[in-house]
Amino acid sequence: MSSFLAFTIFGLVSGAAYAIAASGLVLTYSTTRVFNIAHGALGMLLSFVFWDFSVRQGMPTLLALALVLFVVAPGIGWFLQRFVARDLGDAPVSVSLVVTVAILVATLGLAQQVWPPEARSVQPFFAGTSFEMFGFFITAHQVLTIALSLVVAVGLYVLLNRTRIGTAMRASVDNPELLKLFGGQPERVAALSWAIGTSLAALAGVLLVSTIGLDYYALLLLVINAFAAAILGRLKNLPLTFVGAMALGLITSYASGYLPTEGLLNSVRNVVPALFLFAVIIAMPQAQLRIGQVKGIVSAPLPSPFKALGWSGALLLGVMLLASGMSEANLLLVGTAATYAIVMLSMVLLTGYGGHVSLAQITFVGVGALAYVKLDQPNLVGVLLAGLVAAGVGALVALPVIRLTGLYLALATLAFAVIMDKMIFQADFAFGFNGSLNAERLSILTFQVESTSAYVWVMALFFVVMGLGLLVVRAGPLGRMLVALRDSPAACGTLGLDQRWFRVGLFAVSAGMAGVAGALYAGLRGTVGAAEFQFFGSFTLLLLAVVFGVTSVTGAALGGIGLMMLPVLQADYPQIAGLFFVVIAVGAILLARDPNGLANQLFRLGHLLDRRFGNRIRERIPVLPVPGGSLGGMREHARAEQDANAHAEATLDTVGLGGASHQAGPEGTEGRKETAGVQ
Amino acid sequence: MSSSPVPSGGGHRADVRGGPLLEVDHVVVQFGGVTAVNEACFTADPGTVTGLIGPNGAGKTTCFNVISGLQKPTRGKVRFQGKDVTSMPVHRRSKRGMGRTFQRLEAFGSLSVRDNVRVAADIHRGALAGLLPGGGHGKNIDALLERVGIAAYAQERADSIPTGTARLLELARCLAGDPKLLLLDEPSSGLDETETDAFGELLRDLAAEGRAILMVEHDMDLVMAVCDTIHVLDFGSIIASGDPAEIRRDPAVQKAYLGYSDEDGDADGHTRTDLPVVTDDTLVIPAVREGAEA
Amino acid sequence: MSGVPILEVVDLHAAYGRIEVLRGVDLVVPKGAVMALLGPNGAGKSTLVKVISGQKKPTSGDIHLGGVHVKASGPEELARLGLCTIPEGRSVFPNLTVEENLLLMSYAGVPAEAVLETAFAYFPRLKERRKQFAGTMSGGEQQMVAMSRALASDPALLLLDELSMGLAPLIVDELYETVGRITETGVSILCIEQFARTALKISDYAAVMSGGRVVATGEPGEILETMSDVILGGAA
């Protein structure tokens, strides 16, 4: 009985900390419509700041705490809202997800840069003081945590209900445009709510850090706890959020107290918040189709079949020449780049064409690798089956959340990634704890691919085949449906498309592609372990995909190389390892609103060069297939060819290249009233 | 314009079981405390054009949303081909032969005009049919663009064309699925006079093929010219029904559109107390008033 | 019509994307006058309100508010300058109580107590419901809250966009009675309305918009003739 009481108290204490974090998340989300995935990361960063002030610089604890909570944290929150997250509320969910993931990665990079790994610890507040209660000791820190959560609850209540600025916050949740007509300033309200939200993340982090330690990654996941709690109140109801946080704290505590310390159930305790999140999401009601949002996105141009084949041949030739003279270590790097490039292809399909964000692509790579090893079929069938297994798992993840909006899908994938990372991959039936498994390289039609250089070439071949396949799909009926579904789900519904199954299918195919990449990767390395498929990898993957262009196959190829280079560079320049994350994140933030990324800039450059020099070059080289020459010229060639042969699909998307996306519908404002109620 | 409605036939599989193709039966929609649609009842028959008119905010688009399945009614039923479809998902209604356009445009902005229609045809063939190479229907699509009069825009991106054209595009997109019932939400706004005339004829032709057309429209010339039956919606209720001539004469319609009709007394400046309270000579308004206030 | 007009709109153009909705609007509202702006659906009336109130940027043209050039100002600045806009549809915060809605009106520079006092004096019903969420009230009561803003803040110009939308005639009547009382205090009003007759009864001038332009201006009597044609079709 007394142990039950102990677990209850412990649960309430963690629940109190989660409640503080979750109420900050709810505050920022409800007033600005931006879900801050970096909420936990900011808590982490500010815990480090607190350590720096109180331990390294030796300030009095109270002063350090006050500085963090009332100066540094609000400053960061204000800065983020003003310069990073501004206007994101009206942007597609995928954009705001990318931006906040970028904030997360930048925060992590910054923490690693300023406070390189070493042993640090933060003492609990009033260390050594404790009280006796029902024959059980409760520390002063625990009492303080619970008390502070109550202070936060009451404080927020008073702020929101008893002050004018708080009333304005709630008003801007209802209707920011109307608030402006009243003479209020929604921007100021938004900045304030980010300042307070960040401050609450900091408070939660500082309270938790004495228990879970100063760790870069542990506090990142606080966002899952906070989200799981907040979702119970639909991301807007603070009292229900507190209830959710307390429930989560108790469940986590009981789980750690009563679950067996052996086997799979043992690892459940690490993933309780993620499981809780899944359970709550499944109980959510169906989201209604929204109407009244017409937006076209200017995509990277689709290459003509001729050009695509030319570049493919060039890539394969290049890899072959490159691979013949390379060291084993470098070959492994090229192979890794090919793996990432294939995963990026899966994101081109899902994010670039479909408009959905997955935060678990690296996890699907792991599923594919695991399946390939366990199937023990080192041939094409094995690779294919591994892809199918990953696709099946992807469909299972998507099924319960597909009826909800993009935000929930993305967060469910994050929860899934954490579950796989902390529970499944490390289980005995998988890679094992800190373990690894051996994989054989595949044979193709009895031809055993032995040498690494040949294997790398085969991987490049896979990339080329899948990339071409993707282009064919994009140019065909399915590709058009994908784009149509992204532009207007409501119209697709009224035309007869069952979007739930379509989306599940899309998600599954994307996961399957990542799975194939995993199978190939397993063969490349020979041994694979759980550490290679940690959830964090999906963040950097997403950012690099966006930076290099998530709408084109070229972007995927470049992104694959970029992602491979990242750890190499970090190893070469360890003193600025963290800065690389920051640079990528800043790049992603700048490019998030244009998902075509650097690849598209390259296309434009090619177009420009073609206009300047194309004709001169063509005069000298009358024979056509010269990759690297003139992009635009070949498109024109393709146009002519298409007119003759009715390859109509190839260039349709080039119409309007270089324009901006825009809203259609001048009647929009005049007609809004009747549709308003439907949303 | 054209003569009396042509009954269904001509190879089009119209429903001949008797009874209307679409039946909206005492539908009520409430948002919070506000009643957007109040006990609305009307039908749409094959081979006819039915007009749904009324002032802004009268609940016309909400009616369309209920019929097409984007909005669940608080009470009441929607029957299509005699079957209750009130809780059927949007896409299944479409498969049964409903097509609609939107008041706020829902064209696929990133696709070309031609691809907008092509996608609709693909979806109509079934999502899995999309896996097959899409040969064969290219000519039909061009014919369809020609028919609604937007062939000149075929290669333009759908978010760069004028509103009127985009509305016609939405119509063409519907027609790619060969629907039995067409729900058109303000289809002519954005068209000039010549285009509107051509559009009116197109509507009559489409009806003559045996389709039922239900149309929300503000251009009264067009409504009066092409509709067989008109229902006037005000504060969510049908306040008048009849053919164009009857509707024109109806004092309730004058009231719904212009505020107070002539017998309210002459304009006498700012003294509002002189204005008579709306009398109960119109059929439904008192009931509505309670509904709107409740 | 002496002195500077309260609102002067000169050759105003505005567009959504590439599609032009306002195609050169010219409009003058004299100080102290009530101007009704009528026109069919899609004529660009609501867009004009959005541009004047600063919610939408025009592509070209000029707006002068009380002689001050205000083309580039945001809605919150204009509100503090004395422009009171009551937008179409629901113009209250549904999840705030009546009292909180009224409290937010003090941004216009009037003390909160004065706002409450004025509102409750004009609409005693609001006092009974001060603790009720505005979203749970009837449409007419919501518009009363909205009108309180116009009454309490003594605006330089009041912009009313489709006050009557979705309301029963009796309620509309009551609301326009209030508008009539506001006019007595000398406030200038630009009133966009579908219910032509209702609006014309309280106005000194009227303008008709069609196709993104003002096509007719004049005294209410003359305009009513035109409106019948524009809205119900010539043959009515």
Side-chain angles (χ1 to χ4, degrees):
Chain A
M1 189 58 209
S2 77
S3 74
F4 178 77
L5 196 66
F7 287 128
T8 306
I9 288 173
F10 190 75
L12 289 178
V13 170
S14 3
Y18 299 159
I20 292 170
S23 49
L25 192 66
V26 169
L27 195 66
T28 49
Y29 178 74
S30 60
T31 48
T32 60
R33 298 278 145 215
V34 178
F35 186 89
N36 187 6
I37 285 196
H39 194 66
L42 290 171
M44 178 272 292
L45 180 77
L46 288 158
S47 309
F48 273 92
V49 174
F50 176 69
W51 172 87
D52 198 86
F53 286 178
S54 66
V55 178
R56 196 182 70 83
Q57 303 185 29
M59 287 184 199
T61 311
L62 214 58
L63 176 65
L65 187 65
L67 275 180
V68 168
L69 293 187
F70 302 120
V71 180
V72 183
I76 291 176
W78 176 84
F79 173 84
L80 287 177
Q81 197 282 327
R82 261 286 135 91
F83 298 106
V84 182
R86 195 173 203 170
D87 299 333
L88 273 187
D90 300 327
V93 174
S94 56
V95 173
S96 68
L97 279 170
V98 167
V99 170
T100 55
V101 165
I103 297 176
L104 185 154
V105 171
T107 307
L108 182 89
L110 198 66
Q112 291 184 340
Q113 185 63 42
V114 181
W115 299 280
E118 65 174 69
R120 297 184 183 86
S121 69
V122 173
Q123 289 295 308
F125 293 105
F126 312 111
T129 314
S130 60
F131 312 99
E132 198 180 338
M133 227 171 73
F134 309 112
F136 174 76
F137 282 100
I138 175 167
T139 67
H141 183 89
Q142 290 172 322
V143 173
L144 183 73
T145 304
I146 292 180
L148 281 176
S149 78
L150 294 176
V151 168
V152 166
V154 172
L156 282 179
Y157 178 84
V158 170
L159 172 75
L160 291 175
N161 291 291
R162 291 282 180 272
T163 67
R164 195 171 75 158
I165 185 82
T167 310
M169 277 180 163
R170 284 161 53 220
S172 95
V173 176
D174 273 358
N175 189 345
E177 282 304 308
L178 186 62
L179 184 60
K180 280 189 198 167
L181 293 178
F182 270 60
Q185 290 169 319
E187 283 301 324
R188 187 175 288 181
V189 166
L192 179 68
S193 74
W194 273 70
I196 296 174
T198 310
S199 197
L200 291 174
L203 180 58
V206 169
L207 287 171
L208 283 170
V209 80
S210 59
T211 333
I212 61 179
L214 262 180
D215 178 279
Y216 302 122
Y217 293 93
L219 270 171
L220 285 190
L221 294 177
L222 184 63
V223 72
I224 291 193
N225 302 32
F227 178 64
I231 202 177
L232 201 69
R234 296 278 167 78
L235 290 173
K236 59 185 179 198
N237 185 329
L238 281 172
L240 270 181
T241 300
F242 266 77
V243 171
M246 289 300 172
L248 180 61
L250 287 173
I251 295 172
T252 315
S253 177
Y254 295 144
S256 70
Y258 295 109
L259 282 175
T261 50
E262 295 282 311
L264 193 62
L265 279 178
N266 174 35
S267 49
V268 165
R269 69 187 67 199
N270 299 327
V271 296
V272 168
L275 289 172
F276 185 86
L277 175 63
F278 252 107
V280 182
I281 281 182
I282 290 171
M284 295 269 293
Q286 163 96 49
Q288 280 211 340
L289 284 179
R290 277 163 187 268
I291 56 178
Q293 39 158 24
V294 185
K295 51 182 187 299
I297 294 175
V298 178
S299 306
L302 274 181
S304 67
F306 170 76
K307 198 170 90 187
L309 284 172
W311 277 94
S312 304
L315 181 71
L316 289 176
L317 198 72
V319 170
M320 190 181 279
L321 292 176
L322 202 69
S324 60
M326 247 185 192
S327 69
E328 184 76 6
N330 283 342
L331 279 174
L332 286 180
L333 287 179
V334 176
T336 308
T339 310
Y340 289 143
I342 297 175
V343 186
M344 298 255 180
L345 280 184
S346 78
M347 300 180 76
V348 170
L349 178 70
L350 184 72
T351 310
Y353 297 165
H356 290 281
V357 171
S358 156
L359 296 177
Q361 286 310 94
I362 287 290
T363 309
F364 291 125
V365 175
V367 171
L370 185 61
Y372 178 75
V373 173
K374 291 288 174 185
L375 283 165
D376 201 18
Q377 284 232 24
N379 52 39
L380 281 178
V381 177
V383 173
L384 208 66
L385 282 178
L388 282 177
V389 170
V393 175
L396 276 180
V397 178
L399 261 179
V401 282
I402 211 77
R403 65 213 166 84
L404 302 169
T405 52
L407 174 66
Y408 293 96
L409 178 65
L411 289 162
T413 57
L414 177 59
F416 164 74
V418 171
I419 292 172
M420 294 300 284
D421 191 356
K422 301 216 176 293
M423 187 170 152
I424 307 293
F425 282 162
Q426 298 190 4
D428 294 335
F429 61 81
F431 298 112
F433 186 69
N434 279 341
S436 61
L437 295 170
N438 294 326
E440 272 185 67
R441 286 183 181 168
L442 82 167
S443 61
I444 300 171
L445 305 173
T446 72
F447 173 71
Q448 175 75 30
V449 186
E450 285 286 359
S451 77
T452 308
S453 59
Y455 191 84
V456 166
W457 190 82
V458 168
M459 290 180 82
L461 184 65
F462 264 91
F463 172 79
V464 162
V465 169
M466 286 163 84
L468 288 176
L470 202 61
L471 289 177
V472 169
V473 165
R474 171 62 187 83
L478 270 180
R480 285 194 293 271
M481 280 186 214
L482 268 175
V483 175
L485 193 55
R486 184 189 66 196
D487 281 359
S488 171
C492 281
T494 58
L495 291 171
L497 187 67
D498 186 351
Q499 27 206 316
R500 283 171 304 173
W501 289 107
F502 198 82
R503 288 216 175 102
V504 170
L506 168 69
F507 208 81
V509 172
S510 166
M513 290 169 73
V516 168
L520 292 172
Y521 180 75
L524 174 77
R525 307 297 301 197
T527 56
V528 281
E532 284 155 282
F533 309 112
Q534 282 170 347
F535 71 91
F536 190 76
S538 298
F539 291 155
T540 40
L541 181 76
L542 176 67
L543 295 189
L544 278 166
V546 169
V547 168
F548 285 98
V550 74
T551 56
S552 64
V553 173
T554 311
L558 296 176
I561 296 168
L563 190 57
M564 175 275 287
M565 290 300 288
L566 179 64
V568 175
L569 286 174
Q570 285 181 325
D572 286 353
Y573 305 97
Q575 65 278 28
I576 53 163
L579 271 190
F580 286 109
F581 280 142
V582 178
V583 168
I584 292 166
V586 170
I589 288 168
L590 294 176
L591 284 164
R593 288 162 183 86
D594 173 19
N596 302 317
L598 291 179
N600 206 35
Q601 308 300 327
L602 211 63
F603 297 147
R604 281 186 202 182
L605 185 70
H607 204 73
L608 210 72
L609 287 179
D610 180 54
R611 246 185 268 157
R612 293 285 301 266
F613 307 110
N615 285 331
R616 258 182 277 165
I617 293 174
R618 266 188 296 279
E619 277 166 22
R620 292 192 198 163
I621 314 165
V623 197
L624 281 164
V626 184
S630 48
L631 297 170
M634 298 209 180
R635 188 180 309 131
E636 279 156 29
H637 176 88
R639 276 254 174 84
E641 190 180 62
Q642 159 210 31
D643 289 341
N645 302 339
H647 287 308
E649 296 88 346
T651 52
L652 277 169
D653 252 28
T654 61
V655 179
L657 165 66
S661 68
H662 28 218
Q663 304 269 328
E667 306 307 313
T669 42
E670 298 279 319
R672 183 168 48 86
K673 48 208 95 147
E674 282 191 287
T675 52
V678 184
Q679 308 173 4
Chain B
M1 200 153 294
S2 74
S3 56
S4 63
V6 180
S8 61
H12 202 86
R13 304 177 312 280
D15 201 63
V16 281
R17 269 172 283 170
L21 181 71
L22 171 79
E23 199 180 344
V24 174
D25 186 2
H26 293 92
V27 161
V28 178
V29 180
Q30 288 169 328
F31 301 119
V34 179
T35 304
V37 179
N38 191 11
E39 301 282 333
C41 294
F42 53 87
T43 61
D45 298 299
T48 66
V49 182
T50 308
L52 200 56
I53 64 172
N56 276 348
K60 304 178 299 282
T61 297
T62 308
C63 276
F64 267 30
N65 288 341
V66 168
I67 297 169
S68 60
L70 288 168
Q71 169 75 46
K72 279 210 165 47
T74 315
R75 281 194 301 279
K77 296 257 178 273
V78 177
R79 276 184 283 274
F80 187 56
Q81 296 169 310
K83 184 180 161 55
D84 183 352
V85 296
T86 315
S87 52
M88 188 183 272
V90 181
H91 64 272
R92 299 231 335 259
R93 298 187 202 210
S94 165
K95 291 277 180 222
R96 293 186 140 254
M98 262 191 211
R100 81 165 278 186
T101 67
F102 293 86
Q103 179 195 31
R104 289 191 79 185
L105 292 170
E106 292 277 344
F108 304 129
S110 335
L111 294 176
S112 71
V113 165
R114 194 168 183 277
D115 274 358
N116 262 266
V117 180
R118 198 135 64 127
V119 136
D122 289 334
I123 291 174
H124 181 63
R125 290 192 304 160
L128 284 181
L131 290 171
L132 308 169
H137 60 286
K139 280 208 180 93
N140 300 341
I141 283 161
D142 290 332
L144 210 47
L145 293 177
E146 195 70 52
R147 183 170 189 194
V148 301
I150 54 171
Y153 293 93
Q155 299 302 327
E156 300 286 327
R157 271 173 67 100
D159 58 5
S160 69
I161 57 177
T163 327
T165 315
R167 293 192 186 283
L168 293 176
L169 166 60
E170 287 201 1
L171 173 60
R173 206 171 58 177
C174 276
L175 290 175
D178 195 20
K180 300 185 186 73
L181 170 68
L182 268 174
L183 303 162
L184 307 179
D185 202 343
E186 295 193 22
S188 86
S189 75
L191 297 180
D192 66 26
E193 272 176 45
T194 334
E195 289 167 330
T196 305
D197 286 347
F199 178 70
E201 291 197 28
L202 174 64
L203 284 183
R204 290 308 322 176
D205 286 351
L206 289 170
E209 287 169 5
R211 296 178 216 273
I213 298 177
L214 183 63
M215 170 170 78
V216 167
E217 181 54 65
H218 279 103
D219 181 340
M220 283 306 130
D221 287 334
L222 178 67
V223 169
M224 297 295 169
V226 303
C227 288
D228 302 293
T229 313
I230 298 171
H231 302 284
V232 185
L233 206 57
D234 197 22
F235 307 119
S237 296
I238 307 275
I239 56 164
S241 299
D243 63 35
E246 290 166 347
I247 293 297
R248 246 186 252 264
R249 287 193 299 270
D250 197 315
V253 178
Q254 292 264 328
K255 220 172 250 181
Y257 265 83
L258 290 177
Y260 297 92
S261 56
D262 289 327
E263 63 268 31
D264 288 347
D266 290 317
D268 53 357
H270 298 189
T271 39
R272 304 287 300 156
T273 40
D274 291 354
L275 278 175
V277 171
V278 184
T279 47
D280 287 352
D281 58 345
T282 51
L283 296 171
V284 204
I285 285 183
V288 180
R289 205 178 296 142
E290 285 154 26
E293 265 188 283
Chain C
M1 262 214 222
S2 63
V4 189
I6 191 69
L7 175 73
E8 191 175 8
V9 175
V10 185
D11 194 26
L12 197 67
H13 290 254
Y16 291 94
R18 293 182 207 176
I19 298 145
E20 197 166 47
V21 186
L22 298 184
R23 303 170 186 175
V25 175
D26 293 293
L27 188 69
V28 177
V29 180
K31 203 166 224 159
V34 180
M35 164 88 79
L37 183 63
L38 313 165
N41 218 357
K45 304 188 297 290
S46 289
T47 308
L48 181 61
V49 170
K50 282 214 160 66
V51 175
I52 295 176
S53 64
Q55 291 172 282
K56 181 169 172 53
K57 293 272 163 270
T59 42
S60 69
D62 294 292
I63 303 169
H64 299 272
L65 187 64
V68 184
H69 190 240
V70 293
K71 200 176 100 182
S73 308
E76 64 272 27
E77 292 168 85
L78 290 169
R80 287 166 191 234
L81 271 176
L83 175 70
C84 177
T85 312
I86 302 203
E88 61 177 2
R90 297 185 169 192
S91 46
V92 297
F93 300 103
N95 294 312
L96 264 52
T97 64
V98 171
E99 204 170 54
E100 286 169 337
N101 265 283
L102 296 172
L103 194 72
L104 285 180
M105 291 167 189
S106 56
Y107 277 120
V110 188
E113 300 77 40
V115 175
L116 293 181
E117 206 171 293
T118 318
F120 296 153
Y122 274 96
F123 306 108
R125 215 184 316 177
L126 293 183
K127 189 168 190 177
E128 297 161 26
R129 307 200 166 191
R130 58 198 292 173
K131 296 290 175 200
Q132 194 177 333
F133 284 123
T136 62
M137 302 197 306
S138 75
E141 288 164 335
Q142 292 188 16
Q143 290 293 41
M144 283 179 196
V145 176
M147 293 299 290
S148 300
R149 188 153 60 96
L151 285 163
S153 60
D154 187 28
L157 175 68
L158 176 59
L159 267 182
L160 295 173
D161 192 0
E162 303 254 1
L163 205 53
S164 64
M165 196 179 70
L167 297 176
L170 207 66
I171 310 272
V172 176
D173 208 14
E174 212 174 298
L175 283 173
Y176 270 91
E177 200 173 311
T178 317
V179 178
R181 274 198 265 171
I182 296 175
T183 63
E184 284 162 20
T185 65
V187 171
S188 319
I189 302 181
L190 179 61
C191 170
I192 283 86
E193 187 51 82
Q194 254 201 332
F195 288 72
R197 284 172 213 273
T198 315
L200 288 173
K201 281 191 175 149
I202 58 149
S203 42
D204 307 313
Y205 305 98
V208 180
M209 269 188 90
S210 179
R213 285 189 191 86
V214 172
V215 294
T217 44
E219 307 270 321
E222 315 157 14
I223 293 295
L224 195 55
E225 299 284 315
T226 335
M227 279 306 292
S228 215
D229 290 354
V230 176
I231 288 189
L232 271 188

